[in-house]
Amino acid sequence: MLNSVSQSQIFVLDQDEALDFYTNKLGLEVGTDFDLGFMRWLTVQVPGHPERQILLERPGAPAMDEATAAQVRDLLTKGVMGGWLIFTTDDAYACYEDLKAKGVELTDGPTEQPYGVDFGLRDPFGNRIRIGTIKVWANDLPADAFSQNAN
């Protein structure tokens, strides 16, 4: 049986720019930064949580040929192929203000939701990120929790 997700992946166009954003803006730390020869294995993680890492991958070999990598880079540049990450924090309002002061592209402000408070942002490559203070996990909410919120 599976018991956890240990690695996830998002595409980035420039790993050094991604590393700067994820460590200096979001406060993550480097998990692994290793030259495999055919690619740079660069991961970041929430400080103190090496069990869950995010691979910041440039489109290319060995996962895809150069023509496909060019198509992926083109879609990333257009902002239509970004990945999606969700982080939690103890105080979504304070985190929002901190990121705003750092010049992060915020897509919406802190909003009360049935599960807590969250807000959105984009990384420099169009990957969508949500950060929230979670009070109740979505799978513990009643099925109509979101429709009640819309009224």
Side-chain angles (χ1 to χ4, degrees), residues 66-86:
E66 184 48 38
T68 303
Q71 291 174 327
V72 171
R73 286 191 296 270
D74 186 46
L75 291 171
L76 275 172
T77 301
K78 291 178 180 175
V80 296
M81 195 183 159
W84 198 64
L85 300 169
I86 299 175

Side-chain angles (χ1 to χ4, degrees), residues 87-96 117-119 131-134:
F87 296 99
T88 59
T89 180
D90 293 333
D91 187 341
Y93 293 100
C95 186
Y96 174 85
V117 177
D118 75 349
F119 65 93
I131 299 176
T133 301
I134 306 301

Side-chain angles (χ1 to χ4, degrees), residues 127-150:
N127 294 299
R128 294 172 294 154
I129 299 169
R130 304 259 352 139
I131 299 176
T133 301
I134 306 301
K135 296 177 187 168
V136 179
W137 291 102
N139 56 350
D140 292 331
L141 290 170
D144 63 347
F146 292 96
S147 61
Q148 291 173 356
N149 193 39

Side-chain angles (χ1 to χ4, degrees), residues 15-65:
Q15 289 180 305
D16 290 326
E17 184 179 358
L19 183 61
D20 178 62
F21 176 80
Y22 281 93
T23 58
N24 294 324
K25 302 280 183 168
L26 295 190
L28 301 183
E29 63 185 20
V30 175
T32 305
D33 190 356
F34 192 77
D35 184 356
L36 297 174
F38 54 87
M39 70 178 285
R40 179 180 178 191
W41 188 267
L42 175 61
T43 67
V44 291
Q45 64 197 33
V46 171
H49 291 278
E51 71 279 9
R52 294 183 185 158
Q53 299 188 0
I54 303 162
L55 174 65
L56 305 174
E57 182 179 12
R58 288 198 70 231
M64 59 188 74
D65 60 43

